[in-house]
Amino acid sequence: MVEIESFYEQESGTWTYLLADPKERVAAIIDPVWVYDPVSGLADSSLIETILERAEQADYRVTWVLETHAHADHLTAADLVRQRCGARIACGRGIRDVQAAFQRVFNMDMAIDGSQFDRLLQEGDVIQLGQLEIRVMETPGHTSDSLTYLVEDAAFIGDTLFAPSFGTARCDFPGGDAAQLYDSIARLYQLPRETRLFLCHDYPKKGDDPVRDISVAESMQHNIHLSADTAKEDFVAMRTRRDGQLGLPRLILPSLQVNILAGAAPRADTNGVSYLRTPFNRTIKDLIKGDK
């Protein structure tokens, strides 16, 4: 039976999960957060250190880091876990398209074949974690590389859905597609009604606890953007209109430069220091669109 522990990072509103086979004493970490301060340029590994300490206390050997997608609102600590534990990093095969788009945006010197990751996953793949089988479902729409990981009655859905009061993910980044997102959510709604959907993010009001998971039945009944009765054309129109009004995530510039490298720092400059690029007097939206 799978054991799941959750860790919430308040600044980015992100959930990281430690899931384990307690009999075999092996574990995987899903969407590990590397906290980053864009003002000082310093990265804080205390959250991932806490998670690794918890794994050590439970005598779990961390063998996998599973990314639901290339995040645009926080940095991944995947490479830190790989260096510390020898864990393998897995993500969706669509990461190659994400890499190609943002390699051009940032003019980065890097491979765009997904080789920074240890395994590129697609629909129907299975990751063995001890006696547990983690099944892979492709759920594109928010991004082209978005995956859901299914294990027993749990589904780790990335940004595909949020808590019912917050709705669904944006689809205006490269590879995003509102119609695809609708279809992906429709597939999630075909899972057993009691399936627990573990969220990647929640943004609670002051004084409220963050929502970690919801059931398929709860989302189908209460999600403000896409319930069981929402028509596809209505959802696409809503999502397109809403996305046109959204600002960019606060950490999009550092996040994508690091996350398309599986959490590794960009190649060091001649002085041995790694630097992150910020476009001058150009919006990243223009660069994403290829407006030169």
Side-chain angles (χ1 to χ4, degrees):
M1 183 174 181
V2 65
E3 285 193 357
I4 300 168
E5 295 190 48
S6 53
F7 304 82
Y8 185 70
E9 200 285 298
Q10 186 172 1
E11 186 69 22
S12 61
T14 306
W15 287 105
T16 293
Y17 298 101
L18 176 68
L19 61 151
D21 177 345
K23 290 185 178 180
E24 298 290 334
R25 317 310 295 178
V26 292
I29 298 176
I30 297 180
D31 291 333
V33 176
W34 194 9
V35 180
Y36 178 74
D37 176 15
V39 177
S40 68
L42 296 178
D44 180 358
S45 62
S46 57
L47 177 65
I48 193 61
E49 295 288 354
T50 296
I51 297 169
L52 292 176
E53 287 173 8
R54 173 63 191 124
E56 185 177 0
Q57 290 168 0
D59 195 28
Y60 294 150
R61 182 168 52 91
V62 178
T63 58
W64 283 101
V65 177
L66 306 179
E67 297 282 11
T68 56
H69 63 293
H71 312 275
D73 49 14
H74 67 272
L75 279 66
T76 178
D79 191 58
L80 291 177
V81 177
R82 177 165 58 186
Q83 292 182 43
R84 181 71 60 83
C85 305
R88 301 175 68 195
I89 304 173
C91 69
R93 60 179 176 173
I95 189 64
R96 294 171 294 192
D97 295 329
V98 179
Q99 288 178 327
F102 287 101
Q103 182 275 338
R104 179 182 57 78
V105 166
F106 294 110
N107 198 29
M108 296 172 67
D109 179 15
M110 59 171 289
I112 54 172
D113 57 1
S115 57
Q116 299 85 353
F117 299 82
D118 298 297
R119 184 171 175 185
L120 301 184
L121 300 168
Q122 60 185 350
E123 178 76 25
D125 281 348
V126 175
I127 291 176
Q128 200 71 35
L129 186 69
Q131 298 179 20
L132 299 172
E133 287 191 344
I134 303 174
R135 293 176 289 124
V136 175
M137 177 190 293
E138 292 185 356
T139 45
H142 171 55
T143 62
S144 60
D145 63 329
S146 292
L147 298 178
T148 289
Y149 295 102
L150 303 167
V151 54
E152 295 184 350
D153 70 337
F156 298 87
I157 63 173
D159 287 1
T160 305
L161 280 167
F162 295 130
S165 62
F166 208 81
T168 58
R170 66 193 300 164
C171 301
D172 58 330
F173 295 154
D177 184 284
Q180 277 192 332
L181 183 61
Y182 181 95
D183 292 341
S184 292
I185 294 171
R187 291 188 67 202
L188 292 178
Y189 284 176
Q190 292 172 7
L191 295 171
R193 297 292 188 265
E194 65 275 12
T195 301
R196 296 177 292 164
L197 304 176
F198 285 83
L199 310 177
C200 187
H201 293 287
D202 192 45
Y203 311 98
K205 296 178 181 178
K206 187 175 181 179
D208 291 345
D209 293 329
V211 176
R212 183 191 73 162
D213 64 278
I214 55 173
S215 70
V216 168
E218 288 175 302
S219 192
M220 291 179 69
Q221 184 174 1
H222 299 297
N223 190 281
I224 61 171
H225 290 168
L226 208 168
S227 68
D229 300 325
T230 304
K232 186 173 185 176
E233 58 269 23
D234 292 338
F235 173 78
V236 171
M238 178 282 301
R239 191 69 265 172
T240 302
R241 182 175 60 253
R242 181 176 174 84
D243 288 348
Q245 301 169 351
L246 294 175
L248 291 170
R250 184 177 70 96
L251 293 178
I252 186 172
L253 296 177
S255 293
L256 285 168
Q257 291 178 71
V258 170
N259 294 349
I260 61 176
L261 298 175
R267 185 175 300 172
D269 213 325
T270 54
N271 62 355
V273 178
S274 294
Y275 292 92
L276 296 168
R277 294 185 166 199
T278 300
F280 176 71
N281 202 28
R282 298 294 302 276
T283 70
I284 191 170
K285 281 194 172 183
D286 286 343
L287 294 171
I288 287 171
K289 293 175 183 177
D291 178 16
K292 297 185 177 180

